[in-house]
Amino acid sequence: MKKKMSINETVKEALAIALLQLMKKKEILEISVSEIVKVAGVGRSSFYRNFNSKEELLSSYIIDLYHEYFREKSVPLQVGNGVDVEAFLLPRFHFIKEHGDIFRVLYKRGLLYYFFENAEGDLVKMLCGQTNVESSYYMAMFSGSCAGIIRHWIERNFAESEEEMVKLFADPPKKI
């Protein structure tokens, strides 16, 4: 059950949905804040009260979706302590597929890698279960591989089921 949202949460969601709608037609750099607030039906000050940039708006929205999804599903946040890789990965693939429209827009606009590598290191850590990683090189490797896997899955229009993706990830082919 979705929790009741405050007025500010509703405004933030309206802004994010407006941005995503606009991104289906144009590049993010071509979209103005004025366009976003007009489509969202809110005042310009609502945008700047909550966000410093369009990228921050987009990242914030996806992270909020992620937290809400995983709070409702009560899924493991990291591997270990009796949680196997498959139990960890399956809900993450479900999340991506369930929000496929958002990830398709990110991919179409060339923002998937930007998002994983630059905009939200914390989300990469959450998606990959690496909550205590200190090496920036290790995080770069994980963010690149996560983005690559998701990019390829999107390119294939989610042809494989979430279960097949987990199997491919958890048990990669022996021959390349």
Side-chain angles (χ1 to χ4, degrees), residues 157-174:
N157 199 28
F158 302 108
E160 296 81 10
S161 70
E162 295 93 311
E163 291 78 11
E164 289 171 310
M165 292 302 296
V166 168
K167 187 172 182 342
L168 287 168
F169 194 90
D171 188 23
K174 306 298 182 232

Side-chain angles (χ1 to χ4, degrees), residues 26 85 89:
K26 348 159 93 161
V85 173
L89 288 173

Side-chain angles (χ1 to χ4, degrees), residues 9 25 31 37-38 45 54 62 71 78 80 82 89 106-107 112 114-115 118-119 130 135 140 148 153 155 163-164 166:
E9 289 170 325
K25 299 174 187 156
I31 299 169
V37 298
K38 182 179 180 183
S45 62
K54 297 172 280 189
I62 294 170
R71 186 175 45 253
Q78 60 188 33
L89 288 173
L106 289 174
Y107 171 73
L112 194 60
Y114 170 82
F115 180 77
N118 301 315
Q130 304 300 315
S135 168
W153 197 31
E155 285 173 354
E163 291 78 11
E164 289 171 310
V166 168

Side-chain angles (χ1 to χ4, degrees), residues 4-65:
K4 186 175 179 179
M5 295 191 325
S6 70
I7 292 171
N8 195 48
E9 289 170 325
T10 303
V11 166
K12 288 162 73 172
E13 183 175 57
L15 288 165
I17 291 169
L19 176 58
L20 287 165
Q21 287 174 349
L22 291 165
M23 285 176 62
K24 288 178 181 178
K25 299 174 187 156
K26 348 159 93 161
E27 300 291 332
I28 195 166
L29 294 174
E30 298 169 352
I31 299 169
S32 69
V33 171
S34 297
E35 288 176 282
I36 296 169
V37 298
K38 182 179 180 183
V39 171
V42 300
R44 190 176 177 85
S45 62
S46 294
F47 181 92
Y48 289 110
R49 185 180 320 111
N50 292 290
F51 306 105
N52 293 315
S53 68
K54 297 172 280 189
E55 294 81 6
E56 182 182 340
L57 163 60
L58 190 58
S59 296
S60 174
Y61 180 65
I62 294 170
I63 288 171
D64 288 348
L65 284 175

Side-chain angles (χ1 to χ4, degrees), residues 44-112:
R44 190 176 177 85
S45 62
S46 294
F47 181 92
Y48 289 110
R49 185 180 320 111
N50 292 290
F51 306 105
N52 293 315
S53 68
K54 297 172 280 189
E55 294 81 6
E56 182 182 340
L57 163 60
L58 190 58
S59 296
S60 174
Y61 180 65
I62 294 170
I63 288 171
D64 288 348
L65 284 175
Y66 181 89
H67 284 296
E68 181 180 320
Y69 182 88
F70 285 88
R71 186 175 45 253
E72 287 178 6
K73 308 283 185 199
S74 299
V75 298
L77 295 178
Q78 60 188 33
V79 177
N81 298 328
V83 176
D84 68 5
V85 173
E86 291 179 16
F88 171 81
L89 288 173
L90 187 59
R92 279 143 182 91
F93 282 111
H94 282 303
F95 170 77
I96 292 164
K97 192 168 187 178
E98 185 174 310
H99 296 96
D101 286 345
I102 294 169
F103 284 96
R104 280 185 190 100
V105 169
L106 289 174
Y107 171 73
K108 178 181 179 183
R109 296 300 174 201
L111 293 174
L112 194 60

Side-chain angles (χ1 to χ4, degrees), residues 112-130:
L112 194 60
Y113 282 106
Y114 170 82
F115 180 77
F116 278 113
E117 291 178 359
N118 301 315
E120 275 313 326
D122 288 342
L123 183 62
V124 173
K125 290 177 185 179
M126 289 184 282
L127 282 170
C128 299
Q130 304 300 315

